[in-house]
Amino acid sequence: MAAEGTARIAPGGRAEIGLVNAGLARLIGLATGGRPPHVFTTLARNRGLFRRWLWFAGGLMPGGKLPRRDTELLILRVAHVTGCDYERGHHEALGRRAGLSAAEIERVGEGPGAPGWTPRQALLLRAADELHTAGDIGDELWKELAAELDEPRLIEFCLLVGHYEMLAMTLKALRVQPDPAPVGRRPPRWRSRA
């Protein structure tokens, strides 16, 4: 689902988000090749919570134990199943940087049963989908996942999927608008689920 209408809470400038948060958003924008992303300048309007959230979010991505390709694959799947174009647009670019091919990124929308996934990728996608739809992972699927991931990574898996679900809901509820495309970059190719 695309952000409809106008933002319910507009991105803040330095006066609204404070000097520290403005600096953090600017640095993140520079690192991603553009201006401060609206997700950061919007959430930073709650100054203290933003910094706490940023610390937690950074512990999952990019600071987590799961390989970045896996992390980006999972975030893209969450973005798809939640219909969050904002999240999807950002993580298509990050997924490419993490080594996902254009075909893999495109295939995320088809789900874990699509031909072309490795057994590990299909397993991760199945578990993410089950966590999304059931709020849990059944015993048989958990057993398969536990054969692939150690305990710290199993915990991280659940927190990663849950975090990006929460973020997608927040972005959609606040109607965070797309960031302007940096010069020389095309907008994301994915669109909302039908």
Side-chain angles (χ1 to χ4, degrees):
M1 170 183 227
E4 297 175 11
T6 58
R8 288 179 168 161
I9 298 177
R14 188 168 31 175
E16 294 85 17
I17 68 176
L19 187 60
V20 171
N21 288 348
L24 288 170
R26 184 170 184 265
L27 286 173
I28 294 165
L30 290 173
T32 58
R35 297 175 42 191
H38 290 164
V39 59
F40 298 113
T41 55
T42 301
L43 297 182
R45 292 182 79 110
N46 184 325
R47 294 179 186 196
L49 184 59
F50 170 69
R51 288 191 296 277
R52 289 177 186 97
W53 166 77
L54 197 57
W55 182 260
F56 173 74
L60 291 170
M61 195 290 292
K65 294 182 178 296
L66 288 168
R68 281 298 308 280
R69 283 175 48 89
D70 291 350
T71 299
E72 291 302 330
L73 181 69
L74 290 165
I75 295 168
L76 285 167
R77 186 61 183 164
V78 168
H80 177 77
V81 299
T82 60
C84 186
D85 288 342
Y86 188 97
E87 195 169 76
R88 185 171 31 240
H90 274 267
H91 286 278
E92 281 184 341
L94 292 171
R96 284 191 295 276
R97 283 194 215 151
L100 292 175
S101 69
E104 288 172 316
I105 291 169
E106 197 66 35
R107 191 167 53 243
V108 166
E110 297 175 41
W117 295 124
T118 66
R120 177 186 174 91
Q121 289 172 322
L123 172 63
L124 294 175
L125 292 169
R126 283 177 34 230
D129 280 5
E130 192 163 309
L131 197 53
H132 169 75
T133 56
D136 192 6
I137 299 172
D139 290 340
E140 287 303 311
L141 185 53
W142 181 263
K143 194 182 215 179
E144 290 179 55
L145 197 60
E148 189 68 35
L149 303 176
D150 63 12
E151 287 181 354
R153 285 169 182 81
L154 287 166
I155 293 167
E156 182 179 326
F157 174 90
C158 294
L159 286 170
L160 180 79
V161 171
H163 171 260
Y164 278 92
E165 291 249 356
M166 177 220 44
L167 183 58
M169 286 184 245
T170 302
L171 292 168
K172 289 170 58 176
L174 297 177
R175 305 282 191 262
V176 174
Q177 298 298 299
D179 297 315
V183 177
R185 286 197 187 166
R186 295 183 314 190
R189 291 179 298 145
W190 270 21
R191 294 294 167 239
S192 296
R193 296 173 290 145

